[in-house]
Amino acid sequence: MTTKRSRYPSFDVMKERDEWDDHTQAIVTSRLSSNDRYEFLTLVEAEMLRSICSLLVDDEKQEVLRFILRHIDETLRQPIGESERKAGVPPAPELIRSGLKAIERGVLLRHSTTFMSLDKPEQAAYLRKISENAAEPSEAWAGIPQEPLFRKLCTLTIEAYCSHPRIWSEIGYAGPAYPRGYVRTQLGQLDPWEAQPE
C-alpha cells in the first residue's frame, strides 16, 4: 500500500457546507456516518468486500471504506433495474453474492485457505486474474462471469470512493458549486472558495 500525500493537506471541503443548499448538505453530511449496519450484505461478505474495495482504490481509510460498503449495501438492496447489464450476466445482487462465494471457493481450492487469510499481494493477484477472466480453478466459477463481476465491483467502489468528502478534500474539489456558482472561468483561475495547491 502506497502512502499518498495530498496536494491540499489543509483543505477541508466540509468547511464549505454553509454554501450548499439544505438538501445538498444533508446528502454530503450523511456520507460521513459511521453506521456499519447492513441490510443486504452479511458481515462476512462486508469484511471480504472491505478488503477488495481497499485494494481496488489503493486506500485503507476506514471512514471511506465504511461509506463504500454502505453504498454497495444500499445499491444491492434497491429494486432498481440495470440498463447496462448484458445478456447472461446475473442481476447485481446475485452477481456480487455468488461472485464472493466463487472467490472464496476458488481461493480455498487453489491455496487451501480463505481469501481473507491471503496477504494483500496475493489478494490483489487473484483479483487481477478475475479482471482477466482467468481466475482458477474453473469449477469454482461455474456460471459466474468473472470480468463482469470485477467491473461491477470496480463501478460500485469507485463511484462511492469519488463521492466521499474526505476524498474531495484530498483532490481539492470544493464540493457542489450550486447555488453560489463559479465567477472566474478562465483557464488556471480559481474562485476564492476553491482549494489552492500547497
Side-chain angles (χ1 to χ4, degrees), residues 48-49 51-58 68 72 82 89-92 94-100 102-103 115 120-135 141 144-159:
M48 196 169 167
L49 279 170
S51 289
I52 291 169
C53 296
S54 176
L55 288 165
L56 292 176
V57 294
D58 190 26
I68 293 171
I72 293 174
E82 299 172 79
V89 176
E94 181 185 337
L95 178 65
I96 299 296
R97 179 154 281 156
S98 59
L100 292 174
I103 291 171
F115 180 80
K120 291 285 185 185
E122 290 173 319
Q123 289 179 347
Y126 199 76
L127 291 176
R128 191 172 304 111
K129 288 290 186 185
I130 295 169
S131 76
E132 298 165 351
N133 214 36
W141 290 92
I144 301 165
Q146 295 180 29
E147 191 270 336
L149 169 66
F150 184 82
R151 194 169 351 105
K152 180 60 74 174
L153 288 169
C154 281
T155 298
L156 293 171
T157 300
I158 293 168
E159 66 190 13

Side-chain angles (χ1 to χ4, degrees), residues 1-196:
M1 196 66 60
T2 57
T3 302
K4 298 177 183 176
R5 184 179 177 280
S6 171
R7 289 184 66 200
Y8 311 93
S10 63
F11 182 68
D12 179 3
V13 71
M14 294 309 291
K15 291 179 180 173
E16 300 298 319
R17 66 176 166 250
D18 290 339
E19 300 295 333
W20 308 332
D21 62 31
D22 293 343
H23 181 67
T24 302
Q25 282 188 40
I27 290 172
V28 176
T29 303
S30 73
R31 296 174 184 171
L32 300 172
S33 166
S34 59
N35 176 18
D36 280 332
R37 288 175 292 155
Y38 310 108
E39 294 187 35
F40 178 84
L41 298 170
T42 66
L43 289 177
V44 171
E45 289 169 339
E47 286 312 303
M48 196 169 167
L49 279 170
R50 187 184 307 273
S51 289
I52 291 169
C53 296
S54 176
L55 288 165
L56 292 176
V57 294
D58 190 26
D59 202 327
E60 293 182 343
K61 288 188 279 299
Q62 291 307 304
E63 65 182 297
V64 178
L65 292 172
R66 272 195 300 271
F67 171 64
I68 293 171
L69 293 177
R70 282 201 327 273
H71 169 73
I72 293 174
D73 184 68
E74 289 171 10
T75 301
L76 296 181
R77 72 179 168 80
Q78 292 175 357
I80 55 175
E82 299 172 79
S83 60
E84 297 177 11
R85 182 164 50 90
K86 294 182 179 177
V89 176
E94 181 185 337
L95 178 65
I96 299 296
R97 179 154 281 156
S98 59
L100 292 174
K101 288 177 182 172
I103 291 171
E104 196 70 350
R105 278 194 308 271
V107 170
L108 183 62
L109 291 171
R110 189 142 179 94
H111 300 281
S112 299
T113 189
T114 64
F115 180 80
M116 295 298 290
S117 296
L118 297 176
D119 61 27
K120 291 285 185 185
E122 290 173 319
Q123 289 179 347
Y126 199 76
L127 291 176
R128 191 172 304 111
K129 288 290 186 185
I130 295 169
S131 76
E132 298 165 351
N133 214 36
E136 297 179 347
S138 57
E139 59 264 29
W141 290 92
I144 301 165
Q146 295 180 29
E147 191 270 336
L149 169 66
F150 184 82
R151 194 169 351 105
K152 180 60 74 174
L153 288 169
C154 281
T155 298
L156 293 171
T157 300
I158 293 168
E159 66 190 13
Y161 183 78
C162 292
S163 65
H164 193 279
R166 179 148 179 203
I167 303 308
W168 288 357
S169 295
E170 288 183 2
I171 65 173
Y173 175 56
Y178 175 82
R180 67 185 152 192
Y182 292 98
V183 175
R184 299 175 182 167
T185 57
Q186 296 290 40
L187 186 64
Q189 292 185 344
L190 297 173
D191 281 303
W193 49 272
E194 294 184 273
Q196 308 292 324

